Amino acid sequence: MKKLIFTGLTAAILCSACSSQKTETAETATTTEMTQVQKEAQAFLDQYSAQYQDLYTKSAEAEWASNTKIVEGDSTNAVATRRANEAFAAFTGSVENINTAKAMLEKKDQLTPLQAKQFEAILYTGANNPQTIPDVVKARIKAETEQTEKLYGFNYRIFEKSVSTNEIDNILKNETDLKKRLAAWNASKEVGPGLKKGLLNLRDLRNKTVQSLGYDDYFTYQASDYGMTREEMMTLMKQINEELRPLYRELHTYARYELAKKYGQKEVPDFLPAHWLPNRWGQDWSAMVNVEGIDLDAALKPKGAEWQVKQAERFYTSLGFDPLPESFYTKSSLYPLPANANYKKNNHASAWHMDLDKDVRSLMSVEPNAEWYETTHHELGHVYYYMTYTNPDVPVLLRGGANRAYHEAIGSLMGLAAMQKPFLAELKLIDKNVQTDEVQTLLKEALSYVTFIPFAAGVMSEWEHDFYAKNLSADELNKRWWELTKKYQGMVPPANRGENYLDAATKTHINDDAAQYYDYAMSYVILFQLHDHIAKNILKQDPHATNYYGSKEVGNFLRDIMYPGASADWRQMLKEKTGEELSARAMIDYFQPLMDYLKEQNKGRKYTL
Ligand code: X8Z
Ligand code: ZN
C-alpha cells in the first residue's frame, strides 16, 4: 500500500524529466518576468498549497494512529481520523477551489507548465472529494476507516490458536504437510466475509464520488492518473500478460509437477490448488526453490530484524543518498508487536510522507527473512523517493512519483539488486567463492517476478475493473475471483468457495488502495527496464549478476528520475533515461535463458494453460 493521497499527473507534459534542467520554483515564479495571469495563479497556488499541506499532515497523522494502534472497541482513533479526512476533503473538494482550478485551466496556454500541472493536481484530488455531494464523501470516509479497522483488527486463528499473518506466511512457505497448509490457507481467508458489506458499500460510494465530476467510475478515475482511459489500461495489462504468458506457462507446468512431488501426491493436478503455493494469493512462488549455496533465510536470521532496515539504508547511502533522518527511526513502526500486545497494527508494509516535507516513516512488521529483506528495500525506495522530491524545485502539490508505478518500481528495483549474488557476497551473506547454479537463481527470481504478472495484471486488475466499472453483483464476487485465478494464474481453490466468502477482500489493496493494483504490474516492467539500463550502460555488468553497491553513478541515475517527482512526464522520462518506451522487452530478455531449461524439465509433462 502506498500512502500517497495524491500522486502523479498526466496531462500536457512540458516539463523536463531531468533535474539538471531547472524547473520553475515558487520563488522564481514570483519574479517580475511573470505575466499578470501567472501572478494571480501563483498567489492562489501558494495559499492553496499551504493549507493543503497542513490538512494533509493532519490527515496523515490521524491515519498513522489508526493504522498503528487498533484497539478493539475503542473508536478514539477512528473518530479522529474521520474528522481529519473530512477536513481534508472539505478543502480539496470545495466548489470554490475546484472552480478556480477549472477557470485557471481554461487559460492553460497562459500559465507556466508547472502551474498547469498543479491545477490539474488540484482537480484530480478534488474529484475524489466533491463538496457538491458532501454526504457521499463523508459516508465514504467513514466506510474507509471502518474497513481498515475490520481488516487489520481481525484475529486470525488456526485451530482456535491466534496467529499473525507472518506466522501464516511462514507455514505457507515452509510446511510440507498438506493438511497443515490447508488449515493455514483457510485461516488466511476467514477475514473476507466480514469485509463484504463494507466493500460493496465502498464500491458505490467510490463510484458516486468521482462520477459527480464526470468520471465513469472509480477505476476510470484511478487510470486517469496515468493519462489513460480504463480501456487503455486494460489493453496494456492484457499485453503485458500475453508477452509473459509463454514463460508463465512453463513455470506453471513446472510448479504443478514439482509441488506434487514435494507434497507426496501421485496425481499431478491440472490447476494449482491455492494452498499448495507459498503465498496467500499465489502472487509470489519464490519460496518453492532453494538455491544451494545461497540460503538467505539462514544468513539473515542471526542478524536480526533491525539489521535488515539498517542494511537497506546502507545500500541507499552507498549510492550517494543521504542517511535517513533520525525521526524515521523514532517515529516509524518497523517491527511486529509483541505477542501480548492488547492492540493490533496494520500488518501490510507501507511508507508514509507524513507532512510532504521531512517527516518520512514506514509501517512494517519486519522479521529476519528473505521476504522482509526484499520488502524493506521496497519501502525504503518510497522513503528515498519522498526525500528526493522534497526539494525547492518541486511544489508541494507535485510531490508524488512520475507516476504511481515509478514509486513502486524504485524500491523493488533495489530489492532485486539486493538479492543478486555479487551484492550478497559483498555483504558476506554468502561466501564469495561459493559455486551456485545460475539457472536455479534465475528460476527463483522468475517464481517471484514472472508469477506476479498474471496475478497483478490479470486477476487483481480485471476483478477490480469488473467490480467498479461493470458493477459486479453481490452474488458473483467470489465466482468471478476464482474464474480469474483459474484463467490467469491457473490456480483453483482447495474446495468450492461460494459467495459466503469474499476471497478478493483478503487482499489489502482491494480495501484500502482500490483500483490501482496495475501499478505493481507496470512497476515490474519499468524496474526491469531500469535495471537493464543500469547493468549494461552504467555498471557494464551482466544484468543477472550485478553489484550496485557504492556506485554513485547509479545513485545519480536514480536521483535524476526521482528528483522532479510528479512534475516530470513519465513517458518522456522513460524514453530519456532508458531509450525505450514502456515495454516488457527487458523483463522478457532477462528471463530468456530460463526458457530452454524449463522446456527441458517439462518434456513429456502435460501443459494445461
Ligand atoms: O503492497 C506492496 C508493498 C507496499 S507498497 C509491500 N507490494 C505488493 C503486494 O504486497 O501485494 C509490493 C509488491 C506487490
Ligand atoms: Zn510500495
Side-chain angles (χ1 to χ4, degrees):
M1 173 178 53
K2 310 157 287 278
K3 278 290 153 192
L4 299 161
I5 295 176
F6 159 71
T7 56
L9 261 207
T10 47
I13 312 293
L14 300 152
C15 292
S16 162
C18 174
S19 64
S20 56
Q21 233 169 299
K22 210 164 145 47
T23 48
E24 313 121 84
T25 68
E27 282 113 348
T28 57
T30 55
T31 61
T32 45
E33 291 152 34
M34 285 187 124
T35 66
Q36 193 52 35
V37 171
Q38 290 170 350
K39 276 186 195 157
E40 262 169 46
Q42 199 55 46
F44 176 83
L45 287 172
D46 288 347
Q47 61 83 18
Y48 178 97
S49 301
Q51 215 169 335
Y52 177 94
Q53 192 170 14
D54 178 54
L55 292 166
Y56 182 103
T57 306
K58 287 177 176 145
S59 155
E61 285 287 2
E63 286 278 3
W64 178 263
S66 275
N67 278 274
T68 50
K69 193 156 188 197
I70 304 169
V71 187
E72 210 181 336
D74 180 350
S75 58
T76 321
N77 283 342
V79 170
T81 299
R82 234 163 67 202
R83 276 215 197 101
N85 287 347
E86 280 171 13
F88 179 81
F91 173 71
T92 54
S94 87
V95 176
E96 199 188 337
N97 282 334
I98 289 176
N99 285 346
T100 307
K102 277 188 182 158
M104 285 295 180
L105 284 169
E106 269 164 29
K107 297 183 261 187
K108 191 171 176 178
D109 53 344
Q110 297 176 54
L111 300 172
T112 71
L114 198 63
Q115 287 177 332
K117 274 199 163 251
Q118 291 173 83
F119 284 114
E120 276 153 2
I122 291 172
L123 277 189
Y124 185 76
T125 309
N128 203 23
N129 299 316
Q131 294 304 302
T132 43
I133 46 167
D135 293 345
V136 175
V137 176
K138 271 196 190 146
R140 194 204 65 223
I141 289 169
K142 179 163 180 278
E144 271 169 351
T145 315
E146 285 170 3
Q147 194 78 351
T148 308
E149 285 208 321
K150 278 214 183 92
L151 174 62
Y152 297 114
F154 188 76
N155 188 14
Y156 294 87
R157 287 166 207 263
I158 301 182
F159 300 127
E160 300 306 310
K161 186 183 171 294
S162 289
V163 287
S164 67
T165 47
N166 270 346
E167 285 170 302
I168 293 178
D169 292 346
N170 288 335
I171 296 173
L172 293 178
K173 275 186 269 182
N174 303 316
E175 182 58 61
T176 52
D177 179 336
L178 277 180
K179 280 205 193 78
K180 290 186 185 158
R181 299 187 60 83
L182 180 59
W185 188 88
N186 280 332
S188 79
K189 303 297 159 188
E190 285 299 315
V191 64
L195 295 166
K196 184 164 177 171
K197 203 169 143 229
L199 189 65
L200 284 164
N201 186 32
L202 274 171
R203 184 249 311 264
D204 293 342
L205 294 168
R206 283 169 176 155
N207 276 344
K208 267 192 203 140
T209 2
V210 298
Q211 276 161 354
S212 84
L213 262 132
Y215 294 93
D216 278 358
D217 58 84
Y218 195 69
F219 193 96
T220 301
Y221 170 72
Q222 291 294 350
S224 79
D225 202 14
Y226 287 82
M228 292 166 80
T229 64
R230 157 183 107 210
E231 289 80 11
E232 283 167 347
M233 186 57 79
M234 292 314 288
T235 304
L236 178 60
M237 289 303 113
K238 279 214 171 72
Q239 188 193 325
I240 293 175
N241 254 320
E242 271 163 28
E243 285 182 87
L244 285 154
R245 195 66 170 174
L247 184 52
Y248 186 72
R249 194 165 166 262
E250 297 297 334
L251 291 168
H252 181 260
T253 310
Y254 178 82
R256 282 166 38 235
Y257 282 82
E258 295 301 315
L259 289 176
K261 218 188 301 168
K262 185 168 172 182
Y263 302 140
Q265 301 298 301
K266 277 197 220 79
E267 246 184 68
V268 178
D270 282 355
F271 295 95
L272 283 160
H275 66 300
W276 282 27
L277 291 166
N279 173 279
R280 280 177 266 163
W281 306 277
Q283 71 183 66
D284 176 358
W285 309 354
S286 55
M288 259 180 72
V289 168
N290 289 319
V291 182
E292 215 173 306
I294 311 187
D295 188 345
L296 211 45
D297 281 340
L300 290 168
K301 201 161 182 197
K303 302 243 178 221
E306 286 88 352
W307 182 87
Q308 296 190 124
V309 182
K310 287 279 178 197
Q311 175 50 42
E313 179 186 17
R314 269 196 295 279
F315 192 7
Y316 286 88
T317 55
S318 87
L319 304 185
F321 289 95
D322 288 340
L324 294 168
E326 201 188 311
S327 62
F328 173 83
Y329 286 104
T330 53
K331 293 184 161 181
S332 287
S333 171
L334 299 172
Y335 308 107
L337 293 173
N340 62 358
N342 56 3
Y343 61 94
K344 292 193 183 291
K345 68 182 235 187
N346 180 332
N347 52 43
H348 193 80
S350 53
W352 302 52
H353 199 185
M354 299 297 296
D355 55 355
L356 299 174
D357 193 16
K358 300 280 185 299
D359 187 351
V360 291
R361 302 184 200 170
S362 177
L363 169 47
M364 293 193 270
S365 300
V366 179
E367 288 186 340
N369 63 39
E371 190 174 348
W372 277 110
Y373 172 79
E374 203 276 331
T375 299
T376 302
H377 285 80
H378 177 95
E379 296 311 328
L380 288 201
H382 289 303
V383 168
Y384 275 102
Y385 213 148
Y386 301 148
M387 287 164 62
T388 307
Y389 58 55
T390 299
N391 67 59
D393 292 329
V394 181
V396 163
L397 299 181
L398 298 178
R399 292 188 181 163
N403 65 28
R404 298 192 308 250
Y406 274 73
H407 227 299
E408 298 304 330
I410 298 292
S412 289
L413 168 69
M414 295 288 281
L416 172 98
M419 292 281 204
Q420 291 198 329
K421 193 179 158 189
F423 180 83
L424 293 174
E426 164 122 24
L427 294 193
K428 304 201 169 45
L429 287 170
I430 59 169
D431 177 347
K432 71 176 190 311
N433 298 317
V434 73
Q435 293 289 315
T436 56
D437 183 337
E438 284 159 25
V439 177
Q440 288 302 304
T441 302
L442 195 57
L443 174 61
K444 193 172 174 70
E445 287 175 329
L447 291 169
S448 168
Y449 295 97
V450 179
T451 57
F452 182 71
I453 295 298
F455 175 70
V459 178
M460 285 289 282
S461 294
E462 208 163 313
W463 192 87
E464 287 198 295
H465 171 271
D466 292 358
F467 186 60
Y468 288 100
K470 297 269 176 274
N471 230 10
L472 270 186
S473 74
D475 61 2
E476 54 181 354
L477 301 180
N478 222 35
K479 180 170 147 269
R480 185 71 183 133
W481 178 258
W482 289 105
E483 263 168 27
L484 292 169
T485 64
K486 188 168 183 188
K487 174 177 170 192
Y488 288 106
Q489 295 176 284
M491 180 179 90
V492 291
N496 188 38
R497 309 270 304 169
E499 298 299 325
N500 48 330
Y501 294 107
L502 185 56
D503 295 316
T506 66
K507 185 74 196 157
T508 298
H509 307 68
I510 296 279
N511 301 286
D512 66 6
D513 200 30
Q516 301 163 61
Y517 206 80
Y518 46 77
D519 293 357
Y520 296 103
M522 218 189 279
S523 82
Y524 278 20
V525 167
I526 293 172
L527 97 78
F528 277 97
Q529 291 185 265
L530 298 179
H531 179 70
D532 191 66
H533 178 85
I534 289 172
K536 290 182 184 151
N537 303 327
I538 300 179
L539 297 171
K540 320 263 187 255
Q541 294 171 2
D542 174 357
H544 302 97
T546 64
N547 184 1
Y548 290 17
Y549 202 85
S551 169
K552 302 290 182 279
E553 234 186 304
V554 171
N556 289 339
F557 173 77
L558 294 176
R559 190 176 309 96
D560 272 358
I561 292 174
M562 291 148 83
Y563 185 91
S567 70
D569 173 309
W570 69 265
R571 294 179 198 272
Q572 195 179 316
M573 161 101 76
L574 205 55
K575 192 86 212 259
E576 272 177 24
K577 288 298 181 186
T578 68
E580 267 186 340
E581 314 278 343
L582 183 77
S583 150
R585 194 271 323 152
M587 187 167 179
I588 289 161
D589 279 6
Y590 187 92
F591 291 109
Q592 196 51 45
L594 197 58
M595 274 303 260
D596 292 343
Y597 170 80
L598 285 172
K599 282 201 173 127
E600 186 60 36
Q601 295 297 306
N602 289 335
K603 217 178 242 170
R605 289 175 172 173
K606 178 180 166 194
Y607 287 76
T608 55
L609 283 188

